[in-house]
Amino acid sequence: MANKKVKKEIADRVNRLKKTINHHRYLYHVLDKQEISDAALDSLKHELKLLEDAHPDLITSDSPTQRVGGEPAAGFKKVRHVMPMLSLEDIFEESEFIDWLQRVQKLLGGGKIPTLFVENKFDGLALSLVYRNGILERAATRGNGLVGEDITQNARTIEAIPLKLEIHKDPSPRILKKLSAVLRDGSLEIRGEILIDQKEFKRINREQEERGEAVYANPRNLAAGSVRQLNPKIAASRKLTFSAYDLVGDVGQKRHSEEHEILFALGFKSDSEAKICVNEAQVFEARKNVEKRREYLGYGIDGLVVTVDENLLFEGLGVAGKAPRGAVAFKFPPLEATTTVKDIIVQVGRTGALTPVALLQPVNIGGVVVGRATLHNEDEINRLGVKIGDTVIVGRAGDVIPDIKKVLTDLRNGRERAFRMPKSCPVCKGEIKKDKDGVMRRCINKKCSARSLRSIYYFVSRQGFDIKGLGPKIIKALFDARLIQDAADLFELKEGDLTPLERFAEKSAENLIRAIVAKKEVELAIFIQSLGILHVGAETAEDLASRFQSFEKLREATVEDLGRVPNIGTVVAKSIFSWLQDAHNKDFLRKLLRHVSIKYKKVERSKKLSGKVFVLTGTLAALSRDEAKKRIRELSGDISESVSRKTTFVVAGEEPGSKLAHAKELGVQILSEKDFLKLLLK
Ligand code: IVH
């Protein structure tokens, strides 16, 4: 019966998922090793949960969905927490937050929204610090929430953790009295997160690599690996830090926000950006703000923790499972997910390069539905070992094209198919040649339609002629209608050619022609770049333009002449030379130059900011960070990512980060955005 077969397949999948998840959980929680990211593991758990929800008879007590936490590893003394270290419920969507808030309100008996405390959710390692009579007695990891590991010796090496509690700043008189009493005679537990700076993370990984040792997958991993070193000297060498977020014990505090003040008064670092919010709109705004600045924070955060601020209300809400009802982890969208490879196709680029692309079962990654991922080249396919039908981890970083991070081979069912690169061009069926360095295969037919199309896309793109309103769809339509065969043909288009095309209104035809005509005069460097010559990007095009100053001179150059241009080596010189000598390209240029006039404007690089080192922090209103950097470079200034004595200026935008404080400490001159813009214009 077909039904039975389907059921067996589902049971099979469930079993494989369980095994895989358990394997990764063990690596992560017990051995501090991580082979796949949290987001990828979450994605697998999610699939398992959905299958189990639909088929409850498949749930077993050992399923990863049925337990929270992990076993502590041998090697460190195990310690029982005085109060369990709970976890938080994860949510990702605004709608889930509204649901949580409504649930809380209802449980609190209707009425108005309780005051909320919103702080960063640090992506480090949870730590419990027990102080007796004000002296650090014990530091323990979270472990499974009930029993953790005693890592006191290592924690003592972290300078952000006070060995003795002192009151650095007076809290309110009511608190001061009780707090002083507890510090004299009593115990207090402080919880927080061990963190490692992103820069320190990179430095250590570089060293690991040089020594031929394994690199750490992420800062959390490194922090965990460091405090679980049996030799405290190693932990000490790693510049770990600690940020406190919870005070367990009664010193008269009534609110979670007050606890943060007390932690600060006691000399702990805590989230300096934490704030009170009184409705969901404020929480959403706070979340958007941090998400924007996330990469500049210097340490990893993976979302916000939102807590009912008033402790009595928080306690009253109680605990559901392992998480308090009065708090949630409002996480940022994960930038990885798991999905399956439905097929692998091959795309042909403008230089003939054949790029294998995986067609995926569409999956939502951080709010964007991803249906394809680049596989780069044959070497990458071999490195990953990916087959059609595989379950894979797909990652997406900012605007970068999604790519496959890993194949989950444990989930194979035997029906996966290996992929072979084609022996001829998949589009024109022409000959393929492998590059001399052996990585890329290319279609060598210059008339291949895929190559022509891609060349036209590139020609009109922002890097090239930047013709507005001429996107890939329109180009494809013009190309298919045989109205254009190369970019030169664009300049011969008439309005009447366009209007018969589907959905092309008269008005837009007129606009498009106007946009094309407007670009007939073009800067030499841009013209060179638009040709799409292999190895010639913006910088090389600029170098060529300032050396030859006219296209005619460039065309007459020999390989040797080209090789003498600064920054141009033999490979690039040969590539340019052979492109210009090619008969097909010569025809194209002849056609193109009938319409386009090239001008050369000498750009004398100003030396105004030469020798000056800039560090940018915070958000600028008038220009993006990249634009600001470009402007500094244009004036021969230098940019550095960190503040040191060598820094000339720190440019501080809105909501600057720790770099500003550091600059003040070192006495580095600080420029407001206004000062900075003035300096650029002066
Ligand atoms: S409050 C009642 N606040 O997130 C739960 N946790 O699932 C107490 N974390 O591993 C946690 N930053 O170590 C809280 N500002 C923050 C946090 C935070 C990171 C971690 C915590 C735990 C996990 C909670």
Side-chain angles (χ1 to χ4, degrees), residues 257-282:
S257 50
E258 213 175 355
E259 289 175 0
H260 269 252
E261 283 162 23
I262 298 167
L263 291 169
F264 185 66
L266 285 173
F268 283 98
K269 206 156 64 170
S270 70
D271 176 18
S272 56
E273 310 187 322
K275 55 168 83 57
I276 295 279
C277 290
V278 297
N279 56 37
E280 64 260 29
Q282 289 183 355

PDB file of all heavy atoms in Angstrom, residues 257-282:
ATOM      1  N   SER A 257      15.158  46.088  36.060  1.00  0.00           N
ATOM      2  CA  SER A 257      15.997  47.239  35.712  1.00  0.00           C
ATOM      3  C   SER A 257      16.829  47.685  36.912  1.00  0.00           C
ATOM      4  O   SER A 257      17.979  48.105  36.764  1.00  0.00           O
ATOM      5  CB  SER A 257      15.140  48.394  35.208  1.00  0.00           C
ATOM      6  OG  SER A 257      14.080  48.646  36.101  1.00  0.00           O
ATOM      7  N   GLU A 258      16.252  47.544  38.079  1.00  0.00           N
ATOM      8  CA  GLU A 258      16.978  47.916  39.288  1.00  0.00           C
ATOM      9  C   GLU A 258      18.154  46.952  39.502  1.00  0.00           C
ATOM     10  O   GLU A 258      19.228  47.352  39.954  1.00  0.00           O
ATOM     11  CB  GLU A 258      16.016  47.837  40.481  1.00  0.00           C
ATOM     12  CG  GLU A 258      16.289  48.842  41.555  1.00  0.00           C
ATOM     13  CD  GLU A 258      15.225  48.781  42.645  1.00  0.00           C
ATOM     14  OE1 GLU A 258      14.235  48.026  42.517  1.00  0.00           O
ATOM     15  OE2 GLU A 258      15.392  49.476  43.644  1.00  0.00           O
ATOM     16  N   GLU A 259      17.949  45.704  39.160  1.00  0.00           N
ATOM     17  CA  GLU A 259      19.033  44.723  39.273  1.00  0.00           C
ATOM     18  C   GLU A 259      20.209  45.136  38.393  1.00  0.00           C
ATOM     19  O   GLU A 259      21.366  45.033  38.792  1.00  0.00           O
ATOM     20  CB  GLU A 259      18.543  43.323  38.869  1.00  0.00           C
ATOM     21  CG  GLU A 259      17.601  42.741  39.902  1.00  0.00           C
ATOM     22  CD  GLU A 259      17.002  41.406  39.502  1.00  0.00           C
ATOM     23  OE1 GLU A 259      17.307  40.911  38.399  1.00  0.00           O
ATOM     24  OE2 GLU A 259      16.215  40.872  40.294  1.00  0.00           O
ATOM     25  N   HIS A 260      19.881  45.625  37.201  1.00  0.00           N
ATOM     26  CA  HIS A 260      20.952  46.086  36.324  1.00  0.00           C
ATOM     27  C   HIS A 260      21.720  47.235  36.956  1.00  0.00           C
ATOM     28  O   HIS A 260      22.942  47.302  36.874  1.00  0.00           O
ATOM     29  CB  HIS A 260      20.386  46.499  34.960  1.00  0.00           C
ATOM     30  CG  HIS A 260      20.375  45.373  33.982  1.00  0.00           C
ATOM     31  ND1 HIS A 260      21.228  45.291  32.921  1.00  0.00           N
ATOM     32  CD2 HIS A 260      19.618  44.250  33.945  1.00  0.00           C
ATOM     33  CE1 HIS A 260      20.997  44.176  32.254  1.00  0.00           C
ATOM     34  NE2 HIS A 260      20.010  43.530  32.849  1.00  0.00           N
ATOM     35  N   GLU A 261      20.990  48.125  37.620  1.00  0.00           N
ATOM     36  CA  GLU A 261      21.664  49.257  38.289  1.00  0.00           C
ATOM     37  C   GLU A 261      22.563  48.750  39.405  1.00  0.00           C
ATOM     38  O   GLU A 261      23.682  49.235  39.586  1.00  0.00           O
ATOM     39  CB  GLU A 261      20.631  50.228  38.866  1.00  0.00           C
ATOM     40  CG  GLU A 261      19.995  51.108  37.807  1.00  0.00           C
ATOM     41  CD  GLU A 261      18.688  51.745  38.290  1.00  0.00           C
ATOM     42  OE1 GLU A 261      18.504  51.879  39.527  1.00  0.00           O
ATOM     43  OE2 GLU A 261      17.853  52.082  37.430  1.00  0.00           O
ATOM     44  N   ILE A 262      22.080  47.756  40.137  1.00  0.00           N
ATOM     45  CA  ILE A 262      22.878  47.210  41.240  1.00  0.00           C
ATOM     46  C   ILE A 262      24.135  46.523  40.691  1.00  0.00           C
ATOM     47  O   ILE A 262      25.229  46.698  41.212  1.00  0.00           O
ATOM     48  CB  ILE A 262      22.033  46.233  42.088  1.00  0.00           C
ATOM     49  CG1 ILE A 262      20.853  46.985  42.712  1.00  0.00           C
ATOM     50  CG2 ILE A 262      22.881  45.574  43.172  1.00  0.00           C
ATOM     51  CD1 ILE A 262      19.790  46.088  43.315  1.00  0.00           C
ATOM     52  N   LEU A 263      23.944  45.769  39.608  1.00  0.00           N
ATOM     53  CA  LEU A 263      25.091  45.085  38.996  1.00  0.00           C
ATOM     54  C   LEU A 263      26.149  46.104  38.588  1.00  0.00           C
ATOM     55  O   LEU A 263      27.339  45.919  38.802  1.00  0.00           O
ATOM     56  CB  LEU A 263      24.643  44.270  37.785  1.00  0.00           C
ATOM     57  CG  LEU A 263      23.792  43.041  38.108  1.00  0.00           C
ATOM     58  CD1 LEU A 263      23.184  42.450  36.831  1.00  0.00           C
ATOM     59  CD2 LEU A 263      24.609  41.992  38.840  1.00  0.00           C
ATOM     60  N   PHE A 264      25.665  47.188  38.034  1.00  0.00           N
ATOM     61  CA  PHE A 264      26.580  48.248  37.611  1.00  0.00           C
ATOM     62  C   PHE A 264      27.281  48.848  38.831  1.00  0.00           C
ATOM     63  O   PHE A 264      28.491  49.041  38.840  1.00  0.00           O
ATOM     64  CB  PHE A 264      25.805  49.317  36.833  1.00  0.00           C
ATOM     65  CG  PHE A 264      26.687  50.375  36.260  1.00  0.00           C
ATOM     66  CD1 PHE A 264      27.603  50.072  35.264  1.00  0.00           C
ATOM     67  CD2 PHE A 264      26.615  51.691  36.716  1.00  0.00           C
ATOM     68  CE1 PHE A 264      28.435  51.045  34.731  1.00  0.00           C
ATOM     69  CE2 PHE A 264      27.437  52.676  36.195  1.00  0.00           C
ATOM     70  CZ  PHE A 264      28.345  52.346  35.199  1.00  0.00           C
ATOM     71  N   ALA A 265      26.486  49.085  39.890  1.00  0.00           N
ATOM     72  CA  ALA A 265      27.055  49.654  41.119  1.00  0.00           C
ATOM     73  C   ALA A 265      28.110  48.723  41.706  1.00  0.00           C
ATOM     74  O   ALA A 265      29.081  49.166  42.316  1.00  0.00           O
ATOM     75  CB  ALA A 265      25.943  49.910  42.136  1.00  0.00           C
ATOM     76  N   LEU A 266      27.940  47.424  41.489  1.00  0.00           N
ATOM     77  CA  LEU A 266      28.877  46.446  42.037  1.00  0.00           C
ATOM     78  C   LEU A 266      30.110  46.244  41.148  1.00  0.00           C
ATOM     79  O   LEU A 266      30.939  45.397  41.429  1.00  0.00           O
ATOM     80  CB  LEU A 266      28.179  45.100  42.234  1.00  0.00           C
ATOM     81  CG  LEU A 266      27.231  45.002  43.431  1.00  0.00           C
ATOM     82  CD1 LEU A 266      26.479  43.688  43.420  1.00  0.00           C
ATOM     83  CD2 LEU A 266      28.011  45.161  44.737  1.00  0.00           C
ATOM     84  N   GLY A 267      30.184  47.009  40.096  1.00  0.00           N
ATOM     85  CA  GLY A 267      31.371  46.937  39.258  1.00  0.00           C
ATOM     86  C   GLY A 267      31.311  45.905  38.154  1.00  0.00           C
ATOM     87  O   GLY A 267      32.342  45.484  37.643  1.00  0.00           O
ATOM     88  N   PHE A 268      30.114  45.485  37.794  1.00  0.00           N
ATOM     89  CA  PHE A 268      29.990  44.569  36.663  1.00  0.00           C
ATOM     90  C   PHE A 268      29.706  45.341  35.399  1.00  0.00           C
ATOM     91  O   PHE A 268      29.045  46.387  35.431  1.00  0.00           O
ATOM     92  CB  PHE A 268      28.838  43.576  36.882  1.00  0.00           C
ATOM     93  CG  PHE A 268      29.189  42.494  37.837  1.00  0.00           C
ATOM     94  CD1 PHE A 268      28.808  42.585  39.169  1.00  0.00           C
ATOM     95  CD2 PHE A 268      29.910  41.395  37.417  1.00  0.00           C
ATOM     96  CE1 PHE A 268      29.138  41.589  40.059  1.00  0.00           C
ATOM     97  CE2 PHE A 268      30.241  40.394  38.301  1.00  0.00           C
ATOM     98  CZ  PHE A 268      29.854  40.488  39.630  1.00  0.00           C
ATOM     99  N   LYS A 269      30.163  44.785  34.300  1.00  0.00           N
ATOM    100  CA  LYS A 269      29.764  45.307  33.015  1.00  0.00           C
ATOM    101  C   LYS A 269      28.383  44.730  32.747  1.00  0.00           C
ATOM    102  O   LYS A 269      28.140  43.553  33.027  1.00  0.00           O
ATOM    103  CB  LYS A 269      30.744  44.783  31.962  1.00  0.00           C
ATOM    104  CG  LYS A 269      30.870  45.652  30.782  1.00  0.00           C
ATOM    105  CD  LYS A 269      32.185  45.454  30.079  1.00  0.00           C
ATOM    106  CE  LYS A 269      32.326  44.055  29.499  1.00  0.00           C
ATOM    107  NZ  LYS A 269      33.478  43.943  28.622  1.00  0.00           N
ATOM    108  N   SER A 270      27.448  45.552  32.279  1.00  0.00           N
ATOM    109  CA  SER A 270      26.185  44.964  31.830  1.00  0.00           C
ATOM    110  C   SER A 270      25.792  45.706  30.564  1.00  0.00           C
ATOM    111  O   SER A 270      26.458  46.660  30.188  1.00  0.00           O
ATOM    112  CB  SER A 270      25.117  45.059  32.911  1.00  0.00           C
ATOM    113  OG  SER A 270      24.723  46.392  33.078  1.00  0.00           O
ATOM    114  N   ASP A 271      24.760  45.266  29.925  1.00  0.00           N
ATOM    115  CA  ASP A 271      24.388  45.857  28.646  1.00  0.00           C
ATOM    116  C   ASP A 271      24.088  47.344  28.813  1.00  0.00           C
ATOM    117  O   ASP A 271      23.097  47.720  29.417  1.00  0.00           O
ATOM    118  CB  ASP A 271      23.167  45.117  28.085  1.00  0.00           C
ATOM    119  CG  ASP A 271      22.681  45.747  26.795  1.00  0.00           C
ATOM    120  OD1 ASP A 271      23.466  46.503  26.190  1.00  0.00           O
ATOM    121  OD2 ASP A 271      21.536  45.483  26.404  1.00  0.00           O
ATOM    122  N   SER A 272      24.952  48.182  28.231  1.00  0.00           N
ATOM    123  CA  SER A 272      24.785  49.620  28.428  1.00  0.00           C
ATOM    124  C   SER A 272      23.650  50.170  27.577  1.00  0.00           C
ATOM    125  O   SER A 272      23.259  51.313  27.721  1.00  0.00           O
ATOM    126  CB  SER A 272      26.086  50.326  28.066  1.00  0.00           C
ATOM    127  OG  SER A 272      26.441  49.984  26.745  1.00  0.00           O
ATOM    128  N   GLU A 273      23.135  49.350  26.679  1.00  0.00           N
ATOM    129  CA  GLU A 273      22.079  49.844  25.787  1.00  0.00           C
ATOM    130  C   GLU A 273      20.702  49.393  26.241  1.00  0.00           C
ATOM    131  O   GLU A 273      19.704  49.689  25.591  1.00  0.00           O
ATOM    132  CB  GLU A 273      22.326  49.317  24.375  1.00  0.00           C
ATOM    133  CG  GLU A 273      23.741  49.553  23.903  1.00  0.00           C
ATOM    134  CD  GLU A 273      23.932  49.181  22.460  1.00  0.00           C
ATOM    135  OE1 GLU A 273      23.345  48.172  22.035  1.00  0.00           O
ATOM    136  OE2 GLU A 273      24.652  49.920  21.774  1.00  0.00           O
ATOM    137  N   ALA A 274      20.654  48.650  27.354  1.00  0.00           N
ATOM    138  CA  ALA A 274      19.367  48.119  27.826  1.00  0.00           C
ATOM    139  C   ALA A 274      18.405  49.264  28.108  1.00  0.00           C
ATOM    140  O   ALA A 274      18.823  50.346  28.511  1.00  0.00           O
ATOM    141  CB  ALA A 274      19.593  47.294  29.082  1.00  0.00           C
ATOM    142  N   LYS A 275      17.118  49.039  27.853  1.00  0.00           N
ATOM    143  CA  LYS A 275      16.160  50.116  28.098  1.00  0.00           C
ATOM    144  C   LYS A 275      14.781  49.609  28.485  1.00  0.00           C
ATOM    145  O   LYS A 275      14.455  48.439  28.273  1.00  0.00           O
ATOM    146  CB  LYS A 275      16.063  51.041  26.890  1.00  0.00           C
ATOM    147  CG  LYS A 275      15.735  50.323  25.565  1.00  0.00           C
ATOM    148  CD  LYS A 275      15.383  51.300  24.481  1.00  0.00           C
ATOM    149  CE  LYS A 275      16.572  51.903  23.771  1.00  0.00           C
ATOM    150  NZ  LYS A 275      17.516  50.983  23.144  1.00  0.00           N
ATOM    151  N   ILE A 276      14.003  50.513  29.035  1.00  0.00           N
ATOM    152  CA  ILE A 276      12.611  50.226  29.376  1.00  0.00           C
ATOM    153  C   ILE A 276      11.753  50.489  28.146  1.00  0.00           C
ATOM    154  O   ILE A 276      11.951  51.481  27.454  1.00  0.00           O
ATOM    155  CB  ILE A 276      12.142  51.180  30.506  1.00  0.00           C
ATOM    156  CG1 ILE A 276      12.917  50.915  31.801  1.00  0.00           C
ATOM    157  CG2 ILE A 276      10.649  51.124  30.707  1.00  0.00           C
ATOM    158  CD1 ILE A 276      12.416  49.753  32.601  1.00  0.00           C
ATOM    159  N   CYS A 277      10.802  49.609  27.869  1.00  0.00           N
ATOM    160  CA  CYS A 277       9.819  49.866  26.818  1.00  0.00           C
ATOM    161  C   CYS A 277       8.437  49.697  27.411  1.00  0.00           C
ATOM    162  O   CYS A 277       8.235  48.874  28.311  1.00  0.00           O
ATOM    163  CB  CYS A 277       9.994  48.886  25.655  1.00  0.00           C
ATOM    164  SG  CYS A 277      11.489  49.164  24.696  1.00  0.00           S
ATOM    165  N   VAL A 278       7.497  50.471  26.901  1.00  0.00           N
ATOM    166  CA  VAL A 278       6.158  50.390  27.491  1.00  0.00           C
ATOM    167  C   VAL A 278       5.122  49.816  26.529  1.00  0.00           C
ATOM    168  O   VAL A 278       3.957  49.647  26.896  1.00  0.00           O
ATOM    169  CB  VAL A 278       5.673  51.759  28.031  1.00  0.00           C
ATOM    170  CG1 VAL A 278       6.589  52.233  29.159  1.00  0.00           C
ATOM    171  CG2 VAL A 278       5.599  52.788  26.917  1.00  0.00           C
ATOM    172  N   ASN A 279       5.514  49.528  25.314  1.00  0.00           N
ATOM    173  CA  ASN A 279       4.591  48.872  24.387  1.00  0.00           C
ATOM    174  C   ASN A 279       5.368  48.127  23.310  1.00  0.00           C
ATOM    175  O   ASN A 279       6.588  48.258  23.219  1.00  0.00           O
ATOM    176  CB  ASN A 279       3.625  49.891  23.758  1.00  0.00           C
ATOM    177  CG  ASN A 279       4.387  51.011  23.058  1.00  0.00           C
ATOM    178  OD1 ASN A 279       5.430  50.784  22.449  1.00  0.00           O
ATOM    179  ND2 ASN A 279       3.880  52.222  23.158  1.00  0.00           N
ATOM    180  N   GLU A 280       4.646  47.373  22.495  1.00  0.00           N
ATOM    181  CA  GLU A 280       5.357  46.534  21.517  1.00  0.00           C
ATOM    182  C   GLU A 280       6.078  47.383  20.465  1.00  0.00           C
ATOM    183  O   GLU A 280       7.154  47.024  20.001  1.00  0.00           O
ATOM    184  CB  GLU A 280       4.436  45.503  20.853  1.00  0.00           C
ATOM    185  CG  GLU A 280       3.317  46.078  19.997  1.00  0.00           C
ATOM    186  CD  GLU A 280       1.995  46.100  20.733  1.00  0.00           C
ATOM    187  OE1 GLU A 280       2.025  46.220  21.988  1.00  0.00           O
ATOM    188  OE2 GLU A 280       0.942  46.000  20.080  1.00  0.00           O
ATOM    189  N   ALA A 281       5.485  48.549  20.136  1.00  0.00           N
ATOM    190  CA  ALA A 281       6.106  49.384  19.100  1.00  0.00           C
ATOM    191  C   ALA A 281       7.521  49.787  19.519  1.00  0.00           C
ATOM    192  O   ALA A 281       8.450  49.769  18.713  1.00  0.00           O
ATOM    193  CB  ALA A 281       5.247  50.616  18.839  1.00  0.00           C
ATOM    194  N   GLN A 282       7.666  50.119  20.793  1.00  0.00           N
ATOM    195  CA  GLN A 282       9.004  50.511  21.272  1.00  0.00           C
ATOM    196  C   GLN A 282       9.975  49.336  21.220  1.00  0.00           C
ATOM    197  O   GLN A 282      11.151  49.499  20.916  1.00  0.00           O
ATOM    198  CB  GLN A 282       8.911  51.057  22.699  1.00  0.00           C
ATOM    199  CG  GLN A 282       8.233  52.408  22.758  1.00  0.00           C
ATOM    200  CD  GLN A 282       8.206  52.980  24.165  1.00  0.00           C
ATOM    201  OE1 GLN A 282       8.603  52.335  25.131  1.00  0.00           O
ATOM    202  NE2 GLN A 282       7.717  54.205  24.284  1.00  0.00           N
TER     203      GLN A 282
END
